[in-house]
C-alpha cells in the first residue's frame, strides 16, 4: 500500500526525455519512419522510473514511454541524500558504477545517467561509465543499478541485527527526515498559536473577574 507521500508524489512526477532515435524501414510501398524514445520520470524525493516507447510519431512514442515508466517506478533507499552503498550494473556493453558521496558533493554524472539521477532526487553521488557510450544502454544500466540498491534496514533484519550495530551509525532517508521536521514544526507552531490565544482570552477575562470581585466586596 502506498503511503500518503507516495500518493501525492504520483501526481507530481517530472519527466525527462533522455533520447529520441528515429528509424526508417523500407517496405514494398515505400519508407516507414518511426521513433524510439527513452523517458525517465521521478518525484525528486526518492522515486524514479524508466520507460521506452515506440511509435510512428514522436509524441505518441513519448506518451508510451511515460506510461511504461510509471509502471516501472521504484523507491530508492537513501542515506541522507545519497545512496547507501556502492553499486555497479551492466546492460549490453554499457556498465555504470554508482558511489555514495558526502553532503555537498552534488551530482557527478553526465548524459543519460545525470537525467535519471536528477529526477530521482539523489543530491550527492559519484558515477562512472565503464563501458559503451550507447545512451539507451547507459540509461538501462543506471536504472538497473538503482534497482539493485539494498535497504540497510531490510538487510539488518535479515541478519538479525540493527543498522547501528551493522554499520556503526544510523541511516536516515533525508526526505523522510525533512517531512518529519516539517510536521514537528507545524505542531509546535499550532501549539504556540493555541497558547497565545488562551493567554489573550485569559487577559481579556481578567478585568471582568476583577470588577466582579470588587462589586461583591462593596456589597
Amino acid at each position: 500500500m502506498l503511503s500518503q507521500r507516495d500518493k501525492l508524489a504520483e501526481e507530481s512526477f517530472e519527466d525527462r526525455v533522455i533520447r529520441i532515435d528515429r528509424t526508417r524501414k523500407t517496405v514494398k510501398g515505400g519508407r516507414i519512419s518511426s521513433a524510439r524514445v527513452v523517458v525517465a520520470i521521478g518525484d525528486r524525493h526518492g522515486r524514479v522510473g524508466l520507460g521506452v516507447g515506440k511509435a510512428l510519431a514522436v509524441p505518441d512514442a513519448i506518451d508510451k514511454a511515460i506510461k511504461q515508466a510509471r509502471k516501472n517506478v521504484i523507491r530508492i533507499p537513501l542515506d541522507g541524500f545519497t545512496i547507501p552503498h556502492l553499486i555497479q550494473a551492466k546492460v549490453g556493453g554499457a556498465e555504470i558504477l554508482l558511489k555514495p558521496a558526502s553532503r555537498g558533493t552534488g551530482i557527478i554524472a553526465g548524459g543519460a545517467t545525470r537525467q535519471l539521477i536528477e529526477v530521482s532526487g539523489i543530491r550527492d553521488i559519484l558515477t562512472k561509465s565503464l563501458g559503451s557510450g550507447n545512451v539507451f544502454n547507459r540509461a538501462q544500466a543506471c536504472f538497473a543499478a538503482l534497482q539493485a540498491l539494498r535497504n540497510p534496514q531490510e538487510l539488518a533484519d535479515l541478519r538479525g541485527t540493527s543498522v547501528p550495530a551493522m554499520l556503526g551509525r544510523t541511516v536516515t532517508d533525508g526526505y523522510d527526515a525533512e517531512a518529519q521536521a516539517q510536521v514537528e514544526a507545524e505542531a509546535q507552531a499550532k501549539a504556540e498559536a493555541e497558547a497565545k490565544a488562551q493567554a489573550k482570552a485569559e487577559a481579556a477575562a481578567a478585568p471582568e473577574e476583577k470588577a466582579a470581585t470588587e462589586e461583591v466586596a462593596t456589597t
Side-chain angles (χ1 to χ4, degrees), residues 78-80 82-85 100 152 162-172:
L78 295 175
D79 181 4
T82 188
I83 56 176
H85 59 85
S162 64
V163 174
M166 183 175 67
L167 301 179
R169 60 185 178 85
T170 57
V171 174
T172 306

Side-chain angles (χ1 to χ4, degrees), residues 82-103:
T82 188
I83 56 176
H85 59 85
L86 184 144
I87 191 73
Q88 189 170 331
K90 183 177 181 180
V91 172
E95 190 170 1
I96 296 293
L97 172 70
L98 305 180
K99 187 177 180 181
S102 58
R103 186 68 185 273

Side-chain angles (χ1 to χ4, degrees), residues 2 5-16 37-44 47-53 61-75 116 119 143 147:
L2 293 177
R5 193 182 83 178
D6 290 344
K7 290 178 181 178
L8 292 174
E10 283 193 339
E11 301 174 0
S12 59
F13 276 129
E14 177 185 342
D15 57 82
R16 295 276 187 91
V37 179
V38 183
V39 172
I41 67 170
D43 64 352
R44 289 186 174 271
R47 301 182 73 214
V48 66
L50 186 71
V52 180
I62 292 175
D63 289 340
K64 286 184 178 181
I66 291 175
K67 289 179 181 178
Q68 186 185 42
R70 284 184 174 273
K71 294 178 182 179
N72 297 334
V73 170
I74 60 170
R75 165 59 68 84
L116 200 59
V119 296
F143 188 67
Q147 280 182 307

Side-chain angles (χ1 to χ4, degrees), residues 88-151:
Q88 189 170 331
K90 183 177 181 180
V91 172
E95 190 170 1
I96 296 293
L97 172 70
L98 305 180
K99 187 177 180 181
S102 58
R103 186 68 185 273
T105 301
I107 301 173
I108 309 302
T113 303
R114 186 178 188 87
Q115 299 286 341
L116 200 59
I117 294 295
E118 283 183 349
V119 296
S120 73
I122 297 173
R123 298 181 185 177
D124 305 298
I125 192 170
L126 302 171
T127 71
K128 181 69 175 178
S129 176
L130 303 174
S132 167
N134 182 283
V135 176
F136 175 75
N137 286 344
R138 275 190 181 181
Q140 295 279 13
C142 181
F143 188 67
L146 295 175
Q147 280 182 307
L149 288 170
R150 301 291 299 275
N151 189 314

Side-chain angles (χ1 to χ4, degrees), residues 151-215:
N151 189 314
Q153 185 60 57
E154 293 178 359
L155 194 57
D157 292 341
L158 288 175
R159 296 181 180 181
T161 183
S162 64
V163 174
M166 183 175 67
L167 301 179
R169 60 185 178 85
T170 57
V171 174
T172 306
D173 185 312
Y175 294 104
D176 285 341
E178 281 187 349
Q180 183 63 30
Q182 184 176 357
V183 169
E184 292 176 355
E186 290 175 354
Q188 184 178 356
K190 184 178 180 180
E192 290 176 355
E194 290 176 352
K196 288 181 180 179
Q198 184 177 357
K200 187 176 181 180
E202 291 176 354
E208 297 179 1
E209 293 179 359
K210 184 178 180 181
T213 304
E214 290 177 351
E215 184 178 350

